Amino acid sequence: MKQILLVVSFLYIIPCGFSEDYQIKPSLAFVKIKGKNYLHPLITEIENLIWKNLESVKKYEMLKKKETDEINYQFNFKNFADCQTLECLINLGKFIGSDFLLTGRIEENLYTYNFALLLINNKKEAVEVAVNEEFKKGKEDLNLFIKKIMEKLF
């Protein structure tokens, strides 16, 4: 009887160990969106919408907002503001200690905002996914716009 119980337990436990819930997920850190200082209120709103959308992404183990805020604070010196190259962003991801880094930038034009998000694979030292979209001022819903971009990323 003990042998049957042991076999049944073994057959139940082993598949559970390989289920999606128990697999180690790669880590993902989201760092600040770059843009001109006068765009700060819009950037803050975009970052909050991105955090909200990241809650539904189950593929990665997210670094918590508090942790990334602290990292952003530590890294918030002139070098980070100038961190535009892939090499610099990869170094930032390694500094943070995440497998992936999500960052972006926003630029304003007369009638639109140009918005770019990069998902960087720090281990491969390469861009995994890049999304560039144009947001029409006053003609699009920002929440739906960010959701659409996040769907393209993940």
Side-chain angles (χ1 to χ4, degrees), residues 19-74:
S19 74
E20 189 175 305
D21 293 338
Y22 296 102
Q23 291 181 6
I24 297 174
K25 298 177 185 177
S27 60
L28 173 66
F30 170 53
V31 295
K32 291 197 168 291
I33 300 293
K34 294 181 199 111
K36 301 284 184 189
N37 283 340
Y38 66 88
L39 292 174
H40 181 72
L42 176 63
I43 291 171
T44 300
E45 185 178 359
I46 288 169
E47 289 173 345
N48 290 336
L49 289 170
I50 289 172
W51 275 110
K52 180 182 171 187
N53 281 275
L54 284 172
E55 291 173 0
S56 64
V57 176
K58 304 295 182 197
K59 182 178 177 181
Y60 300 98
E61 184 66 37
M62 289 298 306
L63 268 68
K64 304 292 182 220
K65 186 174 186 328
K66 185 176 179 180
E67 294 169 331
T68 55
D69 284 346
E70 178 64 28
I71 291 164
N72 283 325
Y73 176 76
Q74 290 176 13

Side-chain angles (χ1 to χ4, degrees), residues 73-148:
Y73 176 76
Q74 290 176 13
F75 227 81
N76 196 17
F77 50 87
K78 288 184 180 180
N79 290 347
F80 178 63
D82 296 333
C83 190
Q84 302 292 326
T85 66
L86 180 59
E87 180 182 7
C88 183
L89 292 168
I90 289 168
N91 287 333
L92 174 61
K94 289 179 179 179
F95 173 79
I96 293 170
S98 66
D99 298 316
F100 291 86
L101 179 76
L102 178 61
T103 189
R105 65 173 168 65
I106 186 165
E107 296 172 354
E108 184 178 30
N109 293 324
L110 189 58
Y111 300 109
T112 62
Y113 294 107
N114 289 330
F115 187 66
L117 272 182
L118 293 176
L119 180 63
I120 298 169
N121 185 326
N122 295 320
K123 290 186 178 187
K124 291 181 182 178
E125 298 187 352
V127 174
E128 192 87 1
V129 182
V131 177
N132 292 294
E133 292 288 332
E134 194 173 80
F135 177 77
K136 295 174 184 76
K137 295 179 186 177
K139 296 189 180 193
E140 289 185 77
D141 180 87
L142 187 59
N143 190 28
L144 293 175
F145 178 77
I146 296 299
K147 188 174 183 171
K148 179 177 78 172

